[in-house]
């Protein structure tokens, strides 16, 4: 199946991901796994099987886009950004201290939103319902809280 449909499927997904190689590889792999798991319903003819694979790949990409829209962009580890070269223990400790101070200086509303999204792993709409605020307010609080933390730690 991979030998027969792998190259066209990879080209198709690569075009949809606008050349993002890692996402392309992940989607093609997941598509093949789903085909293997559904061999009993997999179309036997070449055209039907290719359509099935392309449809699954397209839906996986749609799901990925929706998942990214439901959660804010992830922030790179501050420890990696600030550690520099060498042992890094002192740099990590300083970054940890700066981050703790920056979090303590956030308003309670900003801390609540960050805790719900990043530690409780809740979606933005869920957080909005839990806190009784509009979705836009949650997004705004996340943005300003992260900006404040970034400025405090990197300053």
């Amino acid at each position: 199946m991979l030998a027969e449909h792998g190259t066209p499927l990879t080209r198709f997904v690569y075009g949809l991901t606008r050349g993002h190689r890692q996402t392309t590889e992940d989607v093609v792999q997941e598509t093949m796994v789903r085909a293997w798991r559904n061999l009993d319903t997999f179309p036997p003819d070449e055209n039907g099987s290719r359509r099935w694979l392309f449809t699954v790949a397209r839906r996986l990409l749609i799901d990925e886009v929706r998942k990214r829209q439901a959660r804010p962009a992830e922030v790179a580890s501050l420890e990696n950004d600030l550690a520099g070269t060498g042992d890094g223990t002192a740099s990590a400790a300083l970054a940890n201290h700066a981050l703790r101070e920056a979090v303590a200086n956030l308003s309670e509303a900003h801390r609540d939103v960050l805790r719900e999204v990043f530690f409780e792993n809740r979606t933005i709409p869920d957080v909005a319902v839990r806190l009784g605020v509009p979705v836009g307010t949650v997004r705004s609080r996340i943005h300003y809280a992260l900006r404040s933390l970034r400025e405090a730690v990197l300053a």
Side-chain angles (χ1 to χ4, degrees), residues 24-116:
T24 299
E25 291 173 4
D26 291 344
V27 169
V28 169
Q29 180 179 5
E30 180 62 25
T31 302
M32 291 300 172
V33 167
R34 289 189 183 192
W36 180 74
R37 287 182 181 160
N38 295 294
L39 279 178
D40 55 334
T41 60
F42 194 75
D45 64 313
E46 183 178 344
N47 286 335
S49 58
R50 185 168 290 187
R51 275 194 307 273
W52 190 92
L53 290 169
F54 280 45
T55 300
V56 169
R58 185 176 54 80
R59 288 180 180 167
L60 286 170
L61 284 168
I62 290 169
D63 290 346
E64 183 66 29
V65 168
R66 286 180 180 158
K67 185 174 23 171
R68 287 182 184 161
Q69 288 175 345
R71 288 188 51 113
E74 293 185 16
V75 179
S77 170
L78 291 174
E79 188 174 312
N80 291 339
D81 292 343
L82 297 175
T85 59
D87 182 356
T89 304
S91 295
L94 288 173
N96 190 9
H97 177 71
L99 182 60
R100 285 181 188 274
E101 277 188 15
V103 169
N105 290 332
L106 289 176
S107 70
E108 186 176 343
H110 287 114
R111 279 194 307 267
D112 289 344
V113 167
L114 290 180
R115 182 180 52 255
E116 292 285 331

Side-chain angles (χ1 to χ4, degrees), residues 13-24:
V13 174
Y14 190 77
L16 291 177
T17 62
R18 297 186 179 137
H20 192 270
R21 186 176 184 87
Q22 185 63 48
T23 304
T24 299

